[in-house]
Structures are given as structure tokens and as C-alpha cells.
Amino acid sequence: MSSESVGILSSPDRSSSPSLIDQLTQNSCTATQISTDYPGEILQQIRSPGKRQLTIEESIVTTNDSKRICNSNLREQCDSKSTAIITSSPSPTSSNNTDSISFPPSSPLSSEVINWLDIFLAMSNEDRTRATEALIRTCSTNILQLNQIKNQIEPYFQRDFIRDLPRELALHVLKYLPANDVARASRTCRSWYETCNDILLWKRICQRKMIPLKKLRTIFDEAIENEWKRSYACHKHLEYVWQHEQLVPEPVVLRGHEDFVITCLQFDGKRIVSGSDDNTLKIWSVATGKCDQTLIGHNGGVWCSEMTDELIVSGSTDRTIRVWNIGTGVCQHILYGHTSTVRCLALHGDIVVSGSRDATVRVWNIRTGERLHMLSGHTAAVRCVCYNGKYVVSGAYDHTIRVWLPDQEKCVHTLEGHTNRVYSLVFDGKHIVSGSLDCMIRVWDVEQGTCIHQLTGHLSLTSGMQLRGN
């Protein structure tokens, strides 16, 4: 199957996962390569060679499920909920203009600011330009204020051309793309999914490739509603089978948590450990695809887990951490101390570091079950932690990252710069990479406690990252 063959089967909800297109780029690849699994997990939007490749069947299952919303839609929803202060200008030079300035409901304006806005709105356009330039120059010494101005202005210059163009023009643009690129575009968001699955668009693609409409029953009938897209998928699937003389292997589907959310996953090459909101963890055999153990004991949903060759460590909404023996499934230790949900764990040797919604970070010995240290300083829930044996790094909803020396229970750096909650951290011993709800990724020097880089471009939460080399 060529590079156009399988991407058409992917849903927009798989946009952060590389589809089979990435492995089928070279015609010499084998079916065995296509179904190869790689360990590793990514949350939110960075493609990584560690992400497991989708098989045809996995791509098919959710083909018609389109739940993503365009960022432009989200911006409109946010704008519609904002509180507008509309003031008519008393100046004769601007009497024909009606100006609207919107602020979030959570940011009430003081009387001084409102008076300042009245003066600004009364100015002529030329004076407003000069006043704006003067304001920016005044803020030029404060990077945080400049960043806030930039974050407010950027969304107004971002346009979703597929969504904003008339449908006929959007389809006219898309018809020049090869099928695999149209398939990739369809996984961007709901709006793009609907446009990229237009029946006339796929009819043109099939006609360009001289692929006839297939009216007989196919293996893709339940997965693909668009009859022309289905015809294209059948044609490319048949081509692949003829060229490689074998079918793509069936995927292994692990079922056991029923309708509950799977909240965390660990993989060591032999076993998969899944934690769920059903209060349990399950240990799966990769070779057989069967559940070897179900670990029962938590009184609340399991929200985080770590594993070694012998032990599994899990944190829960019941405010406890449990240490399990993988071979027997027995709970060896219950670690008490947190007063709210245990939200994140970081394991290094026999030491596990836990972060909780009680705003504390605690350090434990998983062999003895002893609590070694408690690190206090955050003023809101701790969402992510890292530990390399020397430093503990924690990110929290108070917009800060803290670097600790756990043996001394001392905070050596408080890294400030994010303007919203910190959701994800990566730490290699020298650099800390943090992702936040402010859409910014920052790179920090752990020794100096300074910000080295600001990575911009995301339009929404950075909920997870992976670091490999540089």
C-alpha cells in the first residue's frame, strides 16, 4: 500500500498519533513493520518516534467520530463569553467610530482603568497609535507584561482558512492535495474533518486516479460513510495486498476497564499496566493480550502510576499511594500523608516523589514504606513532578515551577514566567522543559534557575511532552 493508502481511515481524534501513512511512505516497507509497537506515550501534540503506530483496524474503528473543535471556534466561544465595555467617543474626530474592548469576566476593572479607557477612546486614531507605541515602550523593560500583550494580540491575526473560506473555495483548495494530505488534514479538528470528507472532494480524487465507484459490499462499510472515500480505501488496500502478498496483521485490543476512563499507562516491553477511574489497576501480557492481574484496593480512581521490574506504585483520589508486587498482585505498602488527590508520581530507584492537590510534594521509600521528606511551598495543586536523584522539580496550578533539594527539604529555585497553570514537565538533569495552559513551552536552566527559551506556537494547553537529546 502506498503513502495514500491508510491515512484516509483516521479520525480527527487521532490527530496527535501518527497514522500508517508515516510508515507506508516507502513502498518497500513490510506488513510486519506496519504493526510494530513502540513504547512511549505523548499527551497533547508533539509527534515522536516513541508513539505507537496505528494499524488499519484501529484507524477504521473511529473513522466517523469527530469530536475536536477548531481553535478558532474556541476563540469565538471565549470572545462571546467576555464582558464588553463599549464607550462612545466624545471627540469629534472619532465620533463615527464605535469601539469595543473586551475583558474576561474574571478580571474586573478598577475605576482608574475605566477612566483611562475613556480617555483613550476619546482620542483620534493618530493619538491612539502614539499612545499604544508609548505604552509598549513603557512595558519594554518588563518581559512578562510584553508577553501578556503578545498573547492578547496574537489570536486576532490567526485565521483558519479552511473554516473561514466559503465551502466551495475550501474544496477548491483541497482538491489540489494528494489523498494522504487530505486525510492528514481531516484529523485536525471537527470543521476540517467535515470539509475534508466532502463527497464531491473524494469523487474528484477518485476520478483523478481513475478509481471507479465501488457499489458492492466492502470491509470498510461500517467505518467510512463517504462512498467515494470508501472506494478509494478499497482500491489502495487491494493494491497493498497484491504487492505484499499478505494482509495487515490484526491489532491486539485489551479490554477490561469497561466504560471507565483509563487515566495512566506504563509499558516495560513485556507488560502493560493500566490505571483507571474504576479504582483498579490491571497488568496485561503483551504476548497474549490477556489480563494477568487486577490490583484492587484503592477506594478512589487511580490517577497516576509508576513501575519497576518488581513493583508498581499508584496514586489515587483516595489520597493514598500504594506499592504493589507485580508477581503476586499483593499490596505491600499503603503510604498515608497527602490530604487530597495524589495527582502525579516520579520514580527513581527506590525513591518515589508524589505531588498532590493539597499543594505539597512528598518523598517516600517504596521498599520500606517510609515517608522521607515533605516539600511545602506551592500555593495550589501540584500537577507534575520529576526526580533525577538530586533535584525534585514540581509544576503547579500556582503558575510556578519549583526546584528542590529533597534531602534538605529546601527550595533552591522558584521559576516564574508562566501566566497560567503548569501542566507538564520534562527534566534531563540540566534542563527543565515546562508546558502550561498559557500555550507557552519554556526551557529553563536548573542550576541557574533562569529561562533559556520560550517556545511559542501552540494555541491551547500543552498537556504533555517528551524529550530526546536536544
Side-chain angles (χ1 to χ4, degrees):
M1 200 184 290
S2 69
S3 62
E4 301 174 349
S5 54
V6 184
I8 58 175
L9 305 176
S10 300
S11 79
D13 282 340
R14 298 296 184 99
S15 61
S16 60
S17 304
S19 70
L20 279 179
I21 297 172
D22 302 315
Q23 284 189 301
L24 297 177
T25 303
Q26 303 296 329
N27 290 331
S28 59
C29 71
T30 64
T32 304
Q33 290 171 326
I34 294 171
S35 60
T36 303
D37 288 348
Y38 295 96
E41 183 177 55
I42 272 192
L43 322 140
Q44 240 85 82
Q45 297 180 352
I46 300 178
R47 288 184 184 270
S48 166
K51 185 72 175 180
R52 188 175 70 79
Q53 307 296 315
L54 296 178
T55 61
I56 284 181
E57 288 78 3
E58 287 177 306
S59 298
I60 289 175
V61 169
T62 56
T63 298
N64 297 313
D65 184 14
S66 54
K67 297 179 181 177
R68 286 204 160 193
I69 301 177
C70 285
N71 285 313
S72 54
N73 287 346
L74 290 176
R75 289 197 301 273
E76 287 184 0
Q77 291 172 11
C78 292
D79 290 342
S80 67
K81 294 178 182 177
S82 62
T83 303
I85 297 181
I86 303 176
T87 309
S88 59
S89 173
S91 172
T93 59
S94 59
S95 59
N96 294 329
N97 297 330
T98 301
D99 298 285
S100 174
I101 300 178
S102 300
F103 299 92
S106 59
S107 304
L109 299 178
S110 65
S111 59
E112 290 82 0
V113 174
I114 294 176
N115 291 336
W116 180 83
L117 286 174
D118 288 339
I119 296 172
F120 181 81
L121 293 175
M123 295 178 183
S124 65
N125 288 336
E126 183 179 354
D127 288 341
R128 287 190 191 183
T129 301
R130 292 176 180 175
T132 303
E133 292 174 352
L135 175 63
I136 293 174
R137 282 196 301 271
T138 303
C139 297
S140 62
T141 57
N142 189 320
I143 298 299
L144 180 59
Q145 288 180 348
L146 282 179
N147 186 52
Q148 289 173 336
I149 293 173
K150 174 177 171 289
N151 289 340
Q152 290 293 323
I153 294 174
E154 264 190 343
Y156 292 97
F157 292 93
Q158 295 163 348
R159 290 292 180 268
D160 182 347
F161 72 97
I162 292 296
R163 175 182 169 275
D164 294 343
L165 282 175
R167 191 177 184 87
E168 293 78 8
L169 291 180
L171 292 175
H172 182 73
V173 172
L174 291 172
K175 77 176 183 180
Y176 293 103
L177 297 179
N180 58 331
D181 289 341
V182 174
R184 285 174 185 265
S186 73
R187 294 181 293 155
T188 303
C189 62
R190 179 183 296 170
S191 176
W192 283 43
Y193 177 81
E194 293 173 354
T195 303
C196 291
N197 280 281
D198 186 272
I199 190 168
L200 293 178
L201 176 62
W202 282 97
K203 181 179 180 180
R204 291 171 184 167
I205 292 174
C206 289
Q207 289 175 343
R208 189 168 65 237
K209 295 285 187 178
M210 301 182 67
I211 298 174
L213 178 64
K214 190 172 181 64
K215 296 183 179 181
L216 299 177
R217 182 172 177 78
T218 71
I219 61 172
F220 301 129
D221 284 353
E222 295 182 2
I224 304 176
E225 294 180 359
N226 187 323
E227 58 183 356
W228 282 101
K229 185 178 180 182
R230 187 164 61 237
S231 300
Y232 186 94
C234 290
H235 179 81
K236 290 301 176 180
H237 180 71
L238 183 60
E239 272 188 1
Y240 180 83
V241 173
W242 274 99
Q243 290 171 3
H244 297 275
E245 300 180 357
Q246 56 181 327
L247 294 171
V248 177
E250 290 284 334
V252 177
V253 181
L254 311 179
R255 301 186 183 278
H257 290 291
E258 303 302 333
D259 295 330
F260 290 90
V261 176
I262 296 175
T263 55
C264 52
L265 204 70
Q266 302 295 323
F267 176 53
D268 67 357
K270 299 178 183 178
R271 293 176 293 253
I272 296 173
V273 175
S274 59
S276 172
D277 205 26
D278 65 2
N279 304 358
T280 71
L281 297 102
K282 291 183 179 290
I283 305 174
W284 309 83
S285 168
V286 173
T288 64
K290 295 182 179 179
C291 179
D292 293 336
Q293 295 274 357
T294 298
L295 309 182
I296 301 174
H298 279 297
N299 295 319
V302 178
W303 279 92
C304 50
S305 64
E306 291 285 335
M307 69 182 297
T308 68
D309 291 338
E310 303 173 2
L311 301 174
I312 297 172
V313 186
S314 59
S316 168
T317 59
D318 65 9
R319 300 169 291 179
T320 68
I321 301 165
R322 287 180 178 254
V323 182
W324 313 80
N325 184 291
I326 290 183
T328 63
V330 173
C331 178
Q332 296 185 175
H333 300 291
I334 304 176
L335 312 181
Y336 295 98
H338 283 298
T339 58
S340 188
T341 297
V342 180
R343 194 62 188 83
C344 49
L345 296 170
L347 184 62
H348 183 85
D350 292 340
I351 305 300
V352 68
V353 177
S354 59
S356 168
R357 287 179 179 163
D358 63 12
T360 67
V361 177
R362 297 174 189 252
V363 184
W364 317 77
N365 185 308
I366 59 175
R367 297 291 178 182
T368 64
E370 178 186 4
R371 190 187 77 185
L372 304 177
H373 308 288
M374 184 175 77
L375 311 177
S376 299
H378 284 295
T379 57
V382 178
R383 179 61 176 76
C384 43
V385 291
C386 295
Y387 179 50
N388 71 336
K390 178 182 179 181
Y391 290 115
V392 170
V393 183
S394 58
Y397 286 175
D398 60 9
H399 308 181
T400 68
I401 301 147
R402 288 180 178 260
V403 181
W404 312 81
L405 288 174
D407 294 341
Q408 303 175 28
E409 297 188 359
K410 176 183 177 182
C411 176
V412 293
H413 297 300
T414 300
L415 310 181
E416 297 179 332
H418 283 297
T419 58
N420 213 321
R421 296 176 174 183
V422 178
Y423 268 81
S424 53
L425 288 174
V426 181
F427 180 42
D428 65 0
K430 296 181 179 179
H431 304 100
I432 301 167
V433 186
S434 57
S436 167
L437 191 59
D438 65 7
C439 309
M440 186 85 70
I441 297 173
R442 288 178 178 262
V443 183
W444 312 80
D445 184 290
V446 69
E447 296 291 344
Q448 301 297 322
T450 56
C451 182
I452 305 172
H453 303 294
Q454 299 179 41
L455 312 181
T456 60
H458 285 304
L459 303 179
S460 186
L461 162 69
T462 303
S463 59
M465 301 174 294
Q466 189 176 69
L467 183 62
R468 182 166 299 183
N470 283 326

